[in-house]
Amino acid sequence: MTTATKYIFVTGGVTSSLGKGIIAASLAKLLQAQGYRATIQKLDPYINIDPGTLNPYEHGECYVTDDGAETDLDLGHYERFLNVPTSQSNNVTTGRIYQSVIDKERRGEFLGKTVQVIPHITDEIKERIQILGKSGDYDIVITEIGGTVGDIESLPYIEAVRQLQWELGESNAIVIHLTLVPYLKAAGELKTKPTQHSVKTLMESGVQANVLVCRTEYELSDGIRTKLARFCNVKREAVIQSIDASTIYDVPNLMLEEGLDKVVLKQLELEWIQPKLTLWNEFLTRHKNPKSEVTIGLIGKYVELQDSYKSILESFIHAGATNEVKVNIEFIHSEYLNSENIKTSLSHLDGVLVAPGFGERGIEGKIDAVKYVREHKIPFFGICLGMQMAVIEFSRNVLKLADANSTEMDEGTEHPVISLMEAQKTITNKGGTMRLGAWACKLEADSIVSQVYGQDEIQERHRHRYEFNNNYKAQIEAAGMKATGLNPDTGLVEIVELSEHPWFVGVQYHPEYKSTVANPHPLFVAFVGAALKYSKTK
Ligand code: GLN
């Protein structure tokens, strides 16, 4: 193995949503399974500094890293596949690039020069790409470039790739172009022309794709592969088919069959060995051969767009495999839930998860749902806003504090059982200012969580401004809702449980960000286990 880091760029052509993130993660998995230290980085061409300020309807879930970066959801795939934490350096946006260049300009660092896209913006991009490589922690850095080739926004990134390929040499930096080979029903044929055009567009910027990964609904024939190779200037073996898969977790094996890792390593002049995917394949076997099934209601307000809850859905897949259970998720829109339809909406479920979220819309439905599962002893898992709703419901219906609320929803509430954290009170800017990233939490002995985690102190990732109001702690605990996890330094309540309930856990943090194929999150595993147990009592 050489010491210099090798770079792989993944660009996309023809259309968005082809799954560059999954291809990048699958390739990284195959490289990791051969002993290479691989990481993945996502470059996003939008002008937001990070996706933290984006509505989930725009861009899906905002994924949070240990170091508190609010990032693209593709980083979640990287962690789930590789089981290696990502960081701030793994996601860069145009907004961040420009901000950094403009800050340097204000500090006079450009010594009177005119600041331009080339070289200043492209230099900044090149620097960000190489930060991970220069850390010495990785043999291979895969950089996924968001958007589609030909977009105005992508141009500086493609230019940076061109320059880097030139500077580093072709055995140190290669380009994988992910494209679509559509099937035209009327003609009964797969069509290569869109791919030819997108490769040509890439070439207009001086970048020649080294490998083509072709998304397709049907097998690519030999003839099509040869044609693509000929027209797109790539080797025949570098035309890789990526056929639709029943689960994203099949993609590493599909890429292995197609030889993506082999062709990439050959071009990088690195050795190929048979990847060791034993644990991965054991997971797949369990995932595909469930012994029973459960139905879990996911209650949220962004349920029309499943990407909004990406990490939660994937955590259920991991936890299902561990339990050898098929987890069916029923999406329930909190805005349409009320005390009249709650029974018909929830009574058949084996468990209910109340999702994270912001703002007032849909919260009364979430509170009604918590009441129902609390009273009917249905396993309950509340995450972030879901945990806050559990505290509000308990305060209103058990403590009889009728207008108990979060000050996020009602600033003037008489009983602010959830209130703005002290540190948040002076903050006015929105981006990157929540309580973010990994924080410690001490678990109470004799609690569900201490049993589930099997340890007494944990680290979990956060993304919130509001918190359990400790002025109500004694009262709430005396009535049977226990604070079973506290931040050791601040005393902030991170976990609540109900004593008189088989499985009722609300967590202020986001366990879903840490669930991976290799390490399914213990809370999701235990929740699915509780749902399974409950399903047998019905
Ligand atoms: N809106 C709540 C807060 O800011 C919950 C946030 C969340 O669910 N991520 O505290």
Side-chain angles (χ1 to χ4, degrees), residues 356-359 383-385 388 408 463-466 508 510:
F358 294 83
I383 298 185
C384 206
L385 185 72
Q388 298 176 354
E408 179 180 5
R463 183 172 188 251
H464 63 122
R465 294 184 204 283
Y466 295 83
Q508 184 56 78
H510 293 263

Side-chain angles (χ1 to χ4, degrees), residues 355-359 366 383-389 406 408-409 418-421 434 462-467 508 510 512-513:
F358 294 83
K366 288 184 172 175
I383 298 185
C384 206
L385 185 72
M387 171 267 200
Q388 298 176 354
M389 294 302 111
S406 162
E408 179 180 5
M409 320 304 167
I418 303 292
S419 62
L420 195 61
M421 275 177 282
M434 284 189 246
H462 295 247
R463 183 172 188 251
H464 63 122
R465 294 184 204 283
Y466 295 83
E467 247 303 336
Q508 184 56 78
H510 293 263
E512 70 275 21
Y513 294 144

Side-chain angles (χ1 to χ4, degrees), residues 443-479:
L443 306 178
E444 286 291 312
D446 265 352
S447 58
I448 294 180
V449 282
S450 71
Q451 221 181 355
V452 165
Y453 281 95
Q455 55 198 88
D456 56 14
E457 190 164 318
I458 54 164
Q459 290 270 339
E460 290 281 3
R461 300 182 196 172
H462 295 247
R463 183 172 188 251
H464 63 122
R465 294 184 204 283
Y466 295 83
E467 247 303 336
F468 185 106
N469 181 346
N470 272 326
N471 294 337
Y472 289 88
K473 187 161 165 248
Q475 213 179 332
I476 288 175
E477 289 210 302

Side-chain angles (χ1 to χ4, degrees), residues 203-345:
M203 283 176 84
E204 281 166 11
S205 303
V207 174
Q208 165 67 56
N210 303 93
V211 179
L212 288 183
V213 176
C214 306
R215 278 300 301 273
T216 175
E217 291 172 6
Y218 298 94
E219 296 278 341
L220 298 185
S221 65
D222 260 355
I224 295 259
R225 289 176 191 244
T226 306
K227 188 172 173 186
L228 280 166
R230 186 175 298 140
F231 280 101
C232 301
N233 268 357
V234 299
K235 296 206 171 69
R236 169 66 179 69
E237 78 218 35
V239 177
I240 304 290
Q241 156 183 297
S242 171
I243 202 152
D244 288 358
S246 62
T247 156
I248 55 170
Y249 299 107
D250 274 339
V251 179
N253 283 312
L254 291 172
M255 290 302 104
L256 178 63
E257 278 166 32
E258 282 284 310
L260 174 63
D261 54 329
K262 209 176 237 175
V263 83
V264 159
L265 288 171
K266 191 168 158 196
Q267 299 205 11
L268 294 174
E269 294 174 0
L270 293 173
E271 189 194 350
W272 180 88
I273 57 166
Q274 184 65 38
K276 288 194 189 68
L277 290 169
T278 321
L279 290 175
W280 185 270
N281 288 333
E282 280 169 17
F283 155 79
L284 273 174
T285 307
R286 284 193 304 274
H287 171 55
K288 291 183 176 176
N289 299 287
K291 299 204 165 83
S292 41
E293 47 186 295
V294 295
T295 303
I296 290 188
L298 194 159
I299 304 187
K301 67 171 170 178
Y302 308 114
V303 289
E304 305 89 335
L305 182 70
Q306 299 190 4
D307 268 1
S308 310
Y309 301 113
K310 195 79 205 162
S311 294
I312 291 178
L313 298 177
E314 298 304 322
S315 302
F316 275 124
I317 291 177
H318 310 153
T322 306
N323 282 286
E324 297 181 294
V325 172
K326 177 168 191 288
V327 181
N328 303 308
I329 300 293
E330 211 172 292
F331 293 93
I332 301 174
H333 204 307
S334 52
E335 229 183 330
Y336 310 129
L337 270 184
N338 52 49
S339 50
E340 259 108 77
N341 63 21
I342 201 83
K343 186 165 185 257
T344 46
S345 308

Side-chain angles (χ1 to χ4, degrees), residues 69-90:
E70 295 179 284
T71 72
D72 187 80
L73 58 76
D74 272 343
L75 270 75
H77 291 308
Y78 308 161
E79 289 204 13
R80 289 187 279 274
F81 276 55
L82 298 182
N83 198 36
V84 176
T86 54
S87 70
Q88 185 75 66
S89 313
N90 294 75

